[in-house]
Amino acid sequence: MESEKYMSVAPVTSETKIGILGFGGLGQAAARVIAPKRELAWVAAADRKGYAYNPAGLDPDACIAASHSQGSLGYLDPYGTLSSSSIQEVIESESVDGYFLALPNLPNTYMASVARQFIQAGWRGVLVDALKRTSAVEQLLELKEELQAAGITYMCGCGATPGLLTAAAAIAAQSYTEIHSVKITFGVGIANWEAYRATIREDIAHLPGYDVETAKAMSDAEIETLLEQTNGMLYLENMEHADDLMLELAGICARDRVSVGGVVDTRNPKKPLSTNVQIQGRTFEGKTATHTFTLGDETSMAANVCGTAFGYLKAGVSLHRRGIYGLFSAAEIMPQFVK
Ligand code: NAD
């Protein structure tokens, strides 16, 4: 019986060991989100210069201190290792059931190359990303069969947008027989851009006159000059965001009905506007209506991205334990709340 099959699956418990790859703004926030949780044990983290591993669990304060004061987790005494191929070493040498990939996607092919590294290493488990660009998610889609054959359950586009707001759109769509539009508008407030370098660089890549390559090539000083000119604000419209592809693949609406834009204030943690998604459609009675899901202004970008990523990591672990591998998006799977 299906229910017996389900019951025979081991529950997600603190035996489930997880890691965080990328230990910048989101990676460090993820450490703070996950540390008090009982169901997932945080045992590994990596940055560009090294990694830390402790099978008994890592301490977020100690990891963040090592990262801030010495520039890498590799200096964490006694659990750190300095390495210029930290991801490869962690994959090959440490025992971890699932990873949150809090890595920059610069160049735009980087996350897909990390997924390939996991496949080639013969690693089995759950991977979750917070990828943003449609073209980046398309590269992951091409790996779907390889991920499945490798025994990897990959949860893609599981941050805030794409992620939480895309999932909310998928739920809201249920009231309608046809979806006219999905409009995502986000407001992000951060105290300084250095705390989220990759996020800001990748956002700049959406501005008119910029692309991923030009944004990647900009020095920190050039970014500061640009932000000086805009008074710290970034106004973003019609972004290439994978919410469109994810909602299309989930059968909800054509991608051209989905639009994403927002405002980022890099000098003030207060959100410049309330993040929301509006889903307009027609009901079976022929009425046109709009559902709006608005995030509380007090929730930071980090809270909305990291909470969602771990919710999907837990969902991915349940799928993996049932032998379900391959590529899934936030629009087709429900996140599970991590206790
Ligand atoms: P960041 O620049 O603050 O940190 C990046 C981290 O990755 C650093 O610790 C760096 O050392 C590490 N890193 C870089 N290259 C590495 C490598 N080769 N090996 C190991 N570690 C490496 O980045 P951030 O601002 O936290 O953003 C991370 C990602 O999250 C970005 O791609 C951003 O676009 C994405 N993001 C998604 C959402 C969403 O809602 N979906 C929201 C915000 C950010």
Side-chain angles (χ1 to χ4, degrees):
M1 255 171 65
E2 190 57 37
S3 59
E4 281 171 7
K5 209 166 117 197
Y6 185 78
M7 292 305 289
S8 70
V9 174
V12 176
T13 65
S14 57
E15 297 306 305
T16 307
K17 295 186 165 34
I18 68 116
I20 300 169
L21 299 187
F23 206 63
L26 282 189
Q28 291 172 27
R32 294 224 186 273
V33 169
I34 204 64
K37 305 274 188 181
R38 298 189 310 276
E39 289 182 321
L40 301 175
W42 177 46
V43 299
D47 58 36
R48 202 190 289 275
K49 297 185 192 150
Y51 66 94
Y53 177 75
N54 179 6
L58 288 169
D59 170 15
D61 291 330
C63 288
I64 291 168
S67 178
H68 284 193
S69 62
Q70 285 161 290
S72 173
L73 287 160
Y75 291 101
L76 181 74
D77 191 26
Y79 305 111
T81 305
L82 288 166
S83 164
S84 56
S85 51
S86 57
I87 296 180
Q88 193 65 31
E89 282 190 35
V90 171
I91 299 175
E92 285 172 359
S93 55
E94 311 303 3
S95 163
V96 177
D97 303 303
Y99 285 99
F100 172 31
L101 308 175
L103 292 161
N105 193 40
L106 296 166
N108 197 36
T109 51
Y110 183 61
M111 204 63 88
S113 76
V114 172
R116 262 186 235 105
Q117 251 180 294
F118 276 95
I119 295 169
Q120 279 155 13
W123 184 86
R124 296 169 72 85
V126 182
L127 298 174
V128 180
D129 72 36
L131 268 184
K132 294 207 277 202
R133 279 193 178 255
T134 309
S135 50
V137 172
E138 276 166 344
Q139 295 163 40
L140 262 309
L141 277 172
E142 283 172 22
L143 295 176
K144 186 171 187 162
E145 272 149 32
E146 282 176 65
L147 288 163
Q148 194 164 0
I152 293 173
T153 306
Y154 193 113
M155 315 297 284
C156 189
C158 298
T161 168
L164 184 58
L165 297 175
T166 338
I171 292 175
Q174 309 308 319
S175 302
Y176 306 127
T177 49
E178 190 195 350
I179 312 305
H180 294 153
S181 64
V182 175
K183 185 168 187 254
I184 293 174
T185 310
F186 62 81
V188 168
I190 52 179
N192 61 79
W193 85 274
E194 287 97 337
Y196 291 95
R197 285 168 194 264
T199 302
I200 298 307
R201 264 210 176 74
E202 290 178 42
D203 280 344
I204 288 172
H206 289 274
L207 292 174
Y210 292 84
D211 61 19
V212 177
E213 284 313 307
T214 48
K216 180 175 184 286
M218 284 171 85
S219 66
D220 287 359
E222 284 169 331
I223 297 216
E224 267 150 38
T225 307
L226 171 72
L227 294 174
E228 205 57 58
Q229 286 159 2
T230 65
N231 206 15
M233 306 296 285
L234 297 175
Y235 297 93
L236 302 152
E237 284 175 357
N238 290 322
M239 299 170 79
E240 186 213 309
H241 248 230
D243 308 78
D244 61 356
L245 172 64
M246 289 159 60
L247 289 167
E248 183 173 274
L249 288 173
I252 287 163
C253 63
R255 65 177 84 180
D256 61 5
R257 297 192 176 192
V258 182
S259 62
V260 181
V263 179
V264 181
D265 187 343
T266 61
R267 295 182 178 171
N268 188 346
K270 192 171 177 300
K271 284 188 193 188
L273 57 87
S274 300
T275 297
N276 68 86
V277 52
Q278 296 183 355
I279 305 94
Q280 192 194 78
R282 187 173 43 80
T283 69
F284 77 101
E285 302 104 326
K287 301 260 196 250
T288 297
T290 303
H291 287 328
T292 304
F293 174 63
T294 306
L295 304 185
D297 286 341
E298 298 75 13
T299 60
S300 61
M301 173 179 81
N304 293 316
V305 173
C306 300
T308 306
F310 287 124
Y312 279 102
L313 207 161
K314 180 173 170 182
V317 169
S318 320
L319 293 176
H320 197 264
R321 294 206 173 149
R322 282 184 267 163
I324 302 169
Y325 314 132
L327 186 84
F328 303 91
S329 93
E332 56 180 325
I333 303 284
M334 195 73 156
Q336 292 181 12
F337 190 74
V338 185
K339 291 195 286 270

